[in-house]
Amino acid sequence: MAGRAAEPEVIWARPERAGRGPKPAYSRADIVAAAVRIADADGIDALSMRRIAADIGCGTMSLYNYVPRKEDLYELMVDAISGEYDADVPPSGDWRADMRAVARQTRGIMHRHPWVIRLMSTGYAYGPNALRFLEYCLGCLDGVDLPGGAKMELIATVNGTVMTLVANELAIAERTRSLPWSAERERAVRTAYLMGRLAGGGYPRLAAVLIEAGAETLGIEEIFDRTLNRVLDSFVPAARNGVSSRPDA
């Protein structure tokens, strides 16, 4: 007879440790902290129950009493670093400024823990820190004339935008580190090649756009702020809200 299918469960509803016996020398929090350390140092692909067990000094199989699946471990890890948000400061009343501040915190967390970009999922939004984060963001949006569903979309869109921007920042940084020459020399060679292609006249629209944009050189911080402001404006245009969408406003 076929075995009975396992029932789905939420890791947060599961007891800290299954089974009986004396109190162990480590906890679920110890396991998650070790997992975060390993992923921070060597990436998410280096993570394994065996390596975590070696880090905290226990048997590999005993970890499954605390964390039955790797997906549960990932959820615990995402929630652990979500605890790095400073959600104790009350919203200022300026929802744009508050959401920009949240976005900058998100960016900092993703730079400290680059592996989280691969694990981001709405399915990991049930932990205490994740719920605290969502509650805080909704508090920042209290005065915004949007339905609740649109507010949740705004939060998700801001997070997704930050994730995309940080992924690009990390990729550029990684590529720059691997170059056998300076980043400036690489950029100069690529720019010269592009200008040569545009000079041939085959891409007139692109040439016009790049010539126009060439007068304004934006740094990473300015690109981040400008992109974020456009996301916020897509939900509530700044003119309708009676405020400027400039980052320093």
Side-chain angles (χ1 to χ4, degrees):
M1 185 172 66
R4 184 179 178 182
E7 292 293 328
E9 67 174 0
V10 179
I11 187 62
W12 307 104
R14 184 184 176 91
E16 170 78 11
R17 175 177 179 268
R20 299 178 180 179
K23 183 178 180 180
Y26 53 90
S27 65
R28 182 186 285 169
D30 296 325
I31 295 169
V32 176
V36 170
R37 283 196 300 272
I38 293 167
D40 284 350
D42 299 320
I44 197 69
D45 291 330
L47 192 63
S48 68
M49 289 300 198
R50 178 176 297 178
R51 185 158 177 193
I52 296 171
D55 187 276
I56 64 177
C58 71
T60 302
M61 296 309 296
S62 65
L63 295 183
Y64 291 97
N65 288 322
Y66 299 83
V67 186
R69 303 178 305 156
K70 181 166 275 191
E71 290 77 10
D72 294 323
L73 179 64
Y74 290 160
E75 184 167 357
L76 291 165
M77 292 170 67
V78 171
D79 196 70
I81 65 170
S82 295
E84 296 179 16
Y85 282 102
D86 182 6
D88 293 327
V89 179
S92 68
D94 181 343
W95 72 272
R96 290 174 180 273
D98 291 338
M99 289 307 298
R100 284 197 291 261
V102 167
R104 292 189 187 102
Q105 287 196 64
T106 301
R107 185 183 181 206
I109 290 171
M110 289 182 176
H111 272 284
R112 291 192 295 275
H113 311 287
W115 49 267
V116 75
I117 293 174
R118 286 180 51 187
L119 302 186
M120 290 298 290
S121 166
T122 54
Y124 293 161
Y126 297 91
N129 289 321
L131 294 175
R132 180 168 169 260
F133 166 76
L134 287 173
E135 182 69 17
Y136 179 80
C137 289
L138 289 171
C140 294
L141 299 175
D142 268 346
V144 181
D145 185 19
L146 288 174
K151 290 181 179 180
M152 293 296 287
E153 290 174 12
L154 189 158
I155 296 167
T157 303
V158 168
N159 282 341
T161 300
V162 174
M163 181 174 66
T164 300
L165 292 172
V166 172
N168 187 57
E169 291 169 7
L170 292 171
I172 291 173
E174 179 61 29
R175 187 174 184 280
T176 300
R177 282 194 294 270
S178 67
L179 291 175
W181 45 73
S182 70
E184 290 74 17
R185 183 181 174 193
E186 168 88 0
R187 191 179 305 112
V189 169
R190 288 182 171 274
T191 299
Y193 170 81
L194 177 60
M195 292 300 102
R197 296 292 292 170
L198 296 179
Y203 310 96
R205 296 177 184 82
L206 180 59
V209 167
L210 292 180
I211 289 172
E212 180 183 350
E216 181 182 29
T217 302
L218 298 179
I220 290 177
E221 299 297 328
E222 293 168 307
I223 292 172
F224 182 87
D225 286 333
R226 178 174 290 190
T227 303
L228 184 59
N229 284 326
R230 284 174 174 160
V231 168
L232 299 179
D233 283 351
S234 72
F235 283 88
V236 182
R240 185 183 116 192
N241 206 48
V243 299
S244 170
S245 61
R246 291 172 46 207
D248 57 352

